[in-house]
Amino acid sequence: MKGQGQVTVRVLDATGSRTLSGARVAIIRESRIESWTEATTSDDSGAAVFAQAHAGLFDVCARGANHGMACETNVGLVAGGELRVELRLPKGGHLEGQVFLPDGSPAQGVMLRIGEDADLSAWTDTEGRYRLSGLSSGPHVVTLTTQEGPAFPRQVMMESGEDARLDVRLAGFTDVKVVPIRTGPRKGTVVDSVYAGAELSRQKDGSWAGRVEASERNINLYVSGESGGVQVRGHKEVTLSPGIPAVFRVPFGPWKLPALIWTDTPRQRSPGHFELAGHVVLANGRPAEHVHLVRAKPWDGTARCGNTPPSYERFRFDGSAFVVPFQEGEATLYAWTEDGQAGSVTVTGTQNGRVEANIVLKNTGGITGTVDATTLKPEDVAGGLISLDDRGPPPTQVVHPDGRFFVAGLEPGEHSMRVESRQGAPLRVLITEGRLTNLGNVSQPDRAESGP
């Protein structure tokens, strides 16, 4: 991870039949700044090349004219290595409208931005009009920055490839001051954020202040921070009047999460990290290519309900070499290739350490197919769609939002498979060594007594 390599990105339309030139392509690293600084533009062949990209784990994203954004997340590049990424951009929609001042006159010079993306922004003209292009389908948060300060974010839903309109009438602004009041022991308490429709700034006297849009509806004030390893929160609903400064005292204390998750007791020390590095090799000892890796998601400090399935994080390296970070302690890394072969390695690492171990793939096979995407749930796409042999969802499965799925690492022979989002009897599938069994469009029987 301490060198450079080359990343080549090919940008296509949603069907994969046409290359897209002039698309904005970016490597987005863990720091995730607001603008795409490590970026370039695709050429006439749809290719974008980062000839001296720093090694590491990152996301690769692209957006084109009249096209939405597409990303491949958690891809890896090792020093001296190469990485190839193909991105298919969905058809993008346009968002347009007008922004008005409280008196109904056009608001000129207001910046509108989608989320934290500085590349997807527009300014209103003399008539208060704006136009944002290339929005992907789904919900979007639109932030507005006026000459008086940030306004309340607005939300808009974009349908695939369709245009939408969002008109905004701003409310008047007022100065707000929030004084957080600790309701319990104060030792070690740190308030790190106060939100009142916009982030407020910390003052020398410990209060937080800023200029806020005085909406016609009630305003929610939020205080968040930490005290001795315990999260603390505070909330108060208030009403603001434009042009009339307001001061609020907001009590805050230990915060409880709903259900069986809690953080109102001191958390354990956050674990350190180590690196697991090595190569993925085939059963005959040759280096593997186009390697996919998966690890269990790191512990985030909260308790997990006992019947919740584990969640996983996936990575991809083009060559056989990999470097993946883990929390200290015992760790397992799974690997597979697109022909269904798979293997794993379990190691133990200490804080700031480095463990080197290779993964040998077994001569296994896999399955692939599709399900009706309209029935998919977020937990299905996260890796819980396919269960095998009554052992639950295997970590070596990938489920795409369009309904395509893939599972590797199945021993040759007969297996039973169940689609978790469907009722009925399990399906029987026959696995061949080193090959994928294409199940086509999978539709589970509605009745348990139906045949496979």
Side-chain angles (χ1 to χ4, degrees), residues 1 57 74 274-281 291-297 312-317 320-327 329-336 342-348 355-361 395-396:
M1 291 294 188
L57 293 169
N74 284 347
F274 72 96
E275 285 185 345
L276 172 57
H279 288 264
V280 179
V281 296
V291 174
H292 297 262
L293 301 147
V294 64
R295 70 176 184 189
K297 281 190 175 180
Y312 297 97
E313 220 170 3
R314 293 177 175 84
F315 307 87
R316 182 177 71 81
F317 288 79
S320 64
F322 64 84
V323 182
V324 177
F326 279 91
Q327 289 182 346
E330 187 175 273
T332 299
L333 183 64
Y334 304 88
W336 75 92
S344 66
V345 65
T346 299
V347 301
T348 300
V355 177
E356 295 183 3
N358 292 339
I359 299 177
V360 180
L361 300 182
T396 54

Side-chain angles (χ1 to χ4, degrees), residues 21-40:
S21 62
R24 186 75 164 159
V25 184
I27 291 174
I28 303 177
R29 304 194 181 259
E30 189 176 357
S31 56
R32 292 191 180 277
I33 55 179
E34 292 183 0
S35 61
W36 290 11
T37 55
E38 197 173 350
T40 187

